[in-house]
Amino acid sequence: MMIGSLLVTVLLAGSPLKLNGDNISRIVNELTTEEKAALLVGSGAKAFDGVGYTTLYVKGAAGTTHPIDRLGIPAIVLADGPAGVRIDDRPCTKFPIGTSLSSTWNPSLVEEVGKAIGNEVLEYGVDVLLAPGVNIQRNPLCGRNFEYYSEDPLLAGKIAAGYIRGIQSQGVGTSIKHFAANNQELNRLYLDARVSPRALRELYLRNFEIAIKESDPWTVMTSYNYINGTLAAENHDLATGVLREDWGYKGLVMTDWAAGVYADKIVASGNDLIQPGSDAHYNRLVQAMNEGSIPMAAIDTAVTRLLRLIVKCPRFKGYEYSDKPALEHNASVARKAAEEGIVLLRNNAGALPLAPDSKIALFGVTSYDFITGGTGAGNVNGSYVIDLRQGLSDAGFALDKTTDEFYADCMRYERFNTKRINSKFDQWFVDAERPAEALPSKDILTRAAKEADKAIITIGRVFGEGKDRLHQFSYLLSAAEMRLIKAVSEAFHAEGKRLIVVLDVGGIVDMTAWQDMADAIVVSWLPGCEAGHAVASVLSGRETPSGRLPMSVPVSYYDDPTACSMPQILTDKPVNYSFYRPAPAGIKKRYDLENIDYVNYREGIYSGYRYYVTEKVRTAYPFGFGLSYTDFRYSGMTVEEDGEDFVVRLDVENTGGHSGKEVIQIYVKAPGRDMDKPSRELKGFTKTGTLAPGQSETVRIRIPRSLLASYDEERCGWATEKGTYSFIAAKNAETPVLARKIRIKDASFTPTGNYLRAEPLFIER
């Protein structure tokens, strides 16, 4: 039976009953078995030109639901993505990627970004944006890290909450994803993430919990992978137990596109909507309802949740889409966020900011072809991109003519060549060919070093869905990039001049092999359509950098505690691993190859900075690190109890010569007698307003007592031990500034359901 050919009952005329917000239960009773199945499995894969792409209603959207016209139930439109609306034929703003947003450490600014994105969602006829992605950046090589926020669940959850509140303030919905433990792309449909309950609760679920409780997203999207032996899309413990029973979530849960296998198991687990849906899903669901193998109550509950979502959507309310969002305003918001997310890692001998009359020798093909976002669901079909060359020119800087002419010639050929290569591929998961790195001749370098005041090199990396990065070809700099940095460094340093390196990347790269050749290092991430303007603002000093790292940068990739659980396939090009080792329906899940069929999270809770600070492993740049053009002094720190919260208060003074913002990070060291605990964990943060030299601000950071708890696996609940806790105000995870102690007199315990149990794992440190 076909979804598009429902039984004659769908076509029956004369029923006056039409959906509204007050009659959902009556509508559910009126729906036929076939109509219920159609609602729950989307519009069907045959309505699509590919997974994640439809031409129904809004061309290029990711999916729709199925309409039931006789009862006044319209279809609603679902569209990607995290960095702006991913649709076709309309100009959309390319916003900074998720990693850039989290680097602002500013949920209020991210909420402003969300409002701007929500404006485009609304005016282009989309009802639910499939974002944000909040999975923990467990390993630097995860191909989808650029969409995600942080290695820390508190930072990720707070940033996501701001993003969701902003979008939903425009009367459209979000779908927080990918729930949960979607930390690598290799074999993502069939990989079993084997994680201890404690690590799940404290790291890989807590980010979702914080965001959901602080923003109430309209929908949640479950992930592709297995979790401790059960597909997330068929996991009752996840979608019903943790999400609804433990956290009290009332909204809709949907699958990722083509996730899960059996429609009846998907719905019975607590997933209310299967996307994109198929005839097989529809037929199996109808059969299960007719045979009674799935309770009709479960079906009706799922349908009810879907109808509650539909009545909130603009399409149901008859909103007249303008097709004219506030693009100019939204671009200004994108630029503001990009500027505040830029992280200054190094600034020796006053290399930055640039003097207003500086002449710049601009190197690197990426300077002339900036990468603004990732590929796949995180892509945005934007209308324009400002590269660094234009950004510097618009900021009033003169560009060295010799260098500029060399790259103009180089890029003419490279653009022709890359266009020729890319025209052969149309799959969204295939990275576009990038211009090959070029090395100017010694004569050009010598002339540029004499005539220009400073050199800037941009290094770029493409990130994308459906594949992970390769250590050798993405994390490490290439031989051509190393030759360029070395040659420019030697030429300019011989003239007593400085080299600045800009990293236009979606995640971290190796730093140790080359950073000593650079005088300043600026991480712009993938900053969206206003990239060049944003970077130029920071380089010029118009904006003082205030971004901070949302992840740790190890000295060596192999210092990362998860390095050995991230497989590296030896090839000279990235490969799509989405369907690497399929397990067809009816065939038992494979467990032959570690890190491909399954991955053991042996590090437990000791990932990222929790590992580095506890084991005293040196990093290249710690979590929370970022330099400024000015200095800040902390003083007057106090910690007081206020009901069930602790309130940290301290004064922050700008003691330097530039106006700027400061990020205050509060870490807590627990007693650690009853349970094994990291040396310190982030429990609160805030960002000041712009402080002029000599200006002070008193900040107050509220930390719920519940955030001090750790998950006790034996008792199945959150345990807070009694004893002395140190509250540490810090510049980053490795640089404490002030500390105060609080004594908790009585231990406490909050039970949860006994969910997501794992087979015994060897948790090694």
Side-chain angles (χ1 to χ4, degrees):
M1 186 176 295
M2 307 292 288
I3 293 177
S5 303
L6 295 176
L7 295 183
V8 177
T9 51
V10 179
L11 304 176
L12 291 177
S15 172
L17 185 61
K18 299 293 182 181
L19 176 66
N20 62 54
D22 298 322
N23 68 355
I24 289 176
S25 61
R26 289 185 61 199
I27 293 289
V28 173
N29 291 333
E30 179 72 15
L31 287 165
T32 68
T33 297
E34 292 76 16
E35 288 171 331
K36 292 176 182 179
L39 282 170
L40 299 182
V41 298
S43 294
K46 291 184 179 179
F48 291 75
D49 297 315
V51 174
Y53 185 95
T54 180
T55 55
L56 294 175
Y57 307 108
V58 178
K59 184 179 179 182
T64 68
T65 60
H66 194 91
I68 307 294
D69 293 337
R70 75 178 184 92
L71 294 173
I73 304 173
I76 59 172
V77 176
L78 318 171
D80 295 320
V85 190
R86 186 177 74 91
I87 55 177
D88 289 349
D89 301 335
R90 291 170 173 86
C92 297
T93 304
K94 286 176 173 275
F95 289 86
I97 60 168
T99 297
S100 176
L101 295 181
S102 63
S103 295
T104 68
W105 289 64
N106 189 342
S108 296
L109 174 59
V110 176
E111 187 167 343
E112 190 177 344
V113 170
K115 289 178 181 178
I117 295 175
N119 167 249
E120 297 184 24
V121 173
L122 176 65
E123 298 302 340
Y124 283 145
V126 174
D127 296 287
V128 177
L129 190 73
L130 304 173
V134 302
N135 291 92
I136 294 299
Q137 296 180 355
R138 175 177 177 259
N139 180 281
L141 300 186
C142 174
R144 216 160 180 178
N145 275 353
F146 75 97
E147 291 185 48
Y148 301 153
Y149 291 134
S150 177
E151 70 182 34
D152 181 79
L154 177 69
L155 178 58
K158 293 284 187 180
I159 295 296
Y163 180 99
I164 293 166
R165 287 193 301 267
I167 289 177
Q168 294 188 170
S169 72
Q170 303 303 296
V172 292
T174 59
S175 189
I176 189 171
K177 62 184 187 181
H178 304 90
F179 191 55
N182 185 180
N183 306 117
Q184 71 184 55
E185 291 293 280
L186 173 62
N187 198 32
R188 64 182 183 177
L189 293 179
Y190 308 104
L191 177 77
D192 189 2
R194 302 171 66 186
V195 197
S196 70
R198 182 179 180 187
L200 273 171
R201 293 281 189 166
E202 293 188 20
L203 297 183
Y204 303 104
L205 296 177
R206 200 162 213 177
N207 45 339
F208 286 95
E209 181 180 10
I210 291 168
I212 288 168
K213 289 182 175 179
E214 294 189 5
S215 66
D216 193 21
W218 287 10
T219 78
V220 173
M221 182 192 295
T222 51
S223 56
Y224 285 121
N225 51 284
Y226 290 73
I227 301 174
N228 294 334
T230 304
L231 281 166
E234 299 178 4
N235 198 316
H236 189 273
D237 277 6
L238 185 70
T240 298
V242 171
L243 181 60
R244 293 196 169 100
E245 294 179 5
D246 282 353
W247 299 350
Y249 180 67
K250 304 298 184 185
L252 177 132
V253 179
M254 71 175 76
T255 69
D256 203 341
W257 267 232
V261 178
Y262 301 113
D264 50 340
K265 290 184 179 180
I266 291 171
V267 175
S269 73
N271 281 262
D272 308 304
L273 178 61
I274 302 170
Q275 282 289 358
S278 68
D279 291 342
H281 286 131
Y282 170 79
N283 291 333
R284 185 178 178 98
L285 209 51
V286 170
Q287 181 181 358
M289 284 188 276
N290 288 335
E291 294 176 349
S293 59
I294 183 170
M296 189 58 71
I299 296 292
D300 288 350
T301 297
V303 171
T304 297
R305 292 186 186 123
L306 178 57
L307 295 179
R308 286 175 182 164
L309 171 66
I310 289 172
V311 299
K312 292 196 293 186
C313 289
R315 191 168 298 273
F316 175 81
K317 294 178 178 179
Y319 183 79
E320 295 184 6
Y321 312 110
S322 70
D323 265 347
K324 295 179 180 179
L327 293 176
E328 186 174 344
H329 167 76
N330 296 345
S332 69
V333 173
R335 174 174 174 171
K336 180 180 177 182
E339 290 170 347
E340 200 157 315
I342 290 172
V343 181
L344 179 63
L345 291 184
R346 172 177 287 223
N347 193 22
N348 293 341
L352 290 174
L354 301 172
D357 58 351
S358 297
K359 177 186 281 189
I360 306 300
L362 190 58
F363 296 90
V365 293
T366 305
S367 296
Y368 300 81
D369 187 15
F370 227 74
I371 307 166
T372 58
T375 63
N379 185 37
V380 178
N381 299 315
S383 56
Y384 72 94
V385 171
I386 304 297
D387 60 29
L388 186 53
R389 181 188 186 280
Q390 182 179 344
L392 290 170
S393 297
D394 290 348
F397 292 103
L399 297 179
D400 175 68
K401 184 177 179 181
T402 303
T403 311
D404 201 45
E405 289 178 348
F406 167 80
Y407 278 100
D409 289 340
C410 171
M411 293 304 293
R412 269 192 291 271
Y413 170 76
E414 287 299 325
R415 288 193 173 102
F416 169 80
N417 190 45
T418 55
K419 183 177 181 180
R420 176 182 60 82
I421 295 171
N422 292 331
S423 65
K424 300 177 183 179
F425 302 99
D426 60 1
Q427 298 97 330
W428 61 265
F429 55 78
V430 175
D431 287 340
E433 184 76 12
R434 292 278 304 154
E437 195 56 80
L439 178 64
S441 68
K442 186 174 181 180
D443 288 344
I444 292 175
L445 288 169
T446 300
R447 191 182 313 170
K450 290 183 179 298
E451 296 181 358
D453 297 304
K454 289 180 182 177
I456 297 176
I457 298 173
T458 305
I459 301 296
R461 286 291 182 277
V462 173
F463 284 62
E465 177 184 357
K467 55 199 163 296
D468 292 312
R469 300 170 62 199
L470 297 174
H471 176 260
Q472 183 175 355
F473 299 103
S474 180
Y475 187 82
L476 300 179
L477 267 60
S478 70
E481 291 167 334
M482 290 294 294
R483 285 194 296 268
L484 178 64
I485 293 174
K486 184 174 186 294
V488 175
S489 175
E490 290 176 349
F492 275 74
H493 287 163
E495 297 292 331
K497 297 175 180 178
R498 305 299 175 192
L499 167 62
I500 299 142
V501 175
V502 175
L503 296 177
D504 176 30
V505 295
I508 63 174
V509 296
D510 175 70
M511 307 293 295
T512 55
W514 60 273
Q515 62 181 356
D516 290 340
M517 293 186 276
D519 301 289
I521 301 173
V522 173
V523 186
S524 71
W525 309 113
L526 305 181
C529 59
E530 287 286 322
H533 287 152
V535 175
S537 289
V538 170
L539 296 179
S540 68
R542 176 180 171 274
E543 295 292 332
T544 296
S546 64
R548 301 292 183 265
L549 288 175
M551 77 291 283
S552 310
V553 182
V555 173
S556 164
Y557 167 75
Y558 292 101
D559 289 340
D560 189 289
T562 69
C564 292
S565 64
M566 199 73 176
Q568 288 293 290
I569 307 300
L570 298 179
T571 176
D572 63 349
K573 287 187 179 295
V575 176
N576 172 42
Y577 295 136
S578 296
F579 306 96
Y580 187 77
R581 281 177 63 80
I587 296 194
K588 187 177 180 181
K589 168 82 177 74
R590 291 188 178 102
Y591 283 93
D592 302 327
L593 300 178
E594 186 169 2
N595 301 335
I596 294 178
D597 293 324
Y598 65 97
V599 57
N600 287 330
Y601 286 45
R602 288 187 173 88
E603 74 282 359
I605 62 170
Y606 289 92
S607 67
Y609 73 88
R610 288 168 171 78
Y611 166 76
Y612 295 117
V613 298
T614 302
E615 299 298 331
K616 297 180 173 56
V617 176
R618 184 170 66 92
T619 59
Y621 299 96
F623 172 81
F625 180 86
L627 299 176
S628 175
Y629 296 151
T630 192
D631 298 303
F632 296 93
R633 180 171 61 204
Y634 299 178
S635 63
M637 179 178 177
T638 61
V639 182
E640 297 178 349
E641 292 190 59
D642 182 12
E644 289 300 308
D645 298 342
F646 294 96
V647 178
V648 179
R649 176 194 174 279
L650 57 88
D651 298 322
V652 181
E653 180 185 2
N654 183 347
T655 59
H658 294 262
S659 295
K661 298 179 179 181
E662 173 70 336
V663 174
I664 299 92
Q665 303 164 42
I666 304 298
Y667 297 83
V668 173
K669 176 179 174 56
R673 289 193 298 267
D674 300 336
M675 298 181 71
D676 185 33
K677 303 276 281 189
S679 293
R680 65 182 70 108
E681 295 180 278
L682 183 72
K683 298 300 180 184
F685 64 90
T686 194
K687 195 168 196 175
T688 67
T690 300
L691 301 179
Q695 186 178 4
S696 297
E697 180 179 326
T698 299
V699 299
R700 292 174 177 82
I701 302 171
R702 185 171 292 271
I703 300 174
R705 183 184 296 259
S706 60
L707 279 183
L708 304 185
S710 294
Y711 195 76
D712 187 324
E713 294 182 5
E714 292 185 4
R715 292 190 289 169
C716 295
W718 291 97
T720 304
E721 60 181 336
K722 65 180 181 181
T724 301
Y725 290 74
S726 294
F727 287 71
I728 304 161
K731 296 282 188 178
N732 54 69
E734 296 179 6
T735 310
V737 179
L738 298 173
R740 295 292 181 269
K741 294 182 178 180
I742 285 286
R743 181 166 181 79
I744 294 179
K745 297 179 181 179
D746 299 310
S748 61
F749 181 77
T750 303
T752 67
N754 183 13
Y755 303 125
L756 299 170
R757 306 301 296 181
E759 295 179 6
L761 302 177
F762 294 100
I763 308 299
E764 300 173 354
R765 285 179 48 202

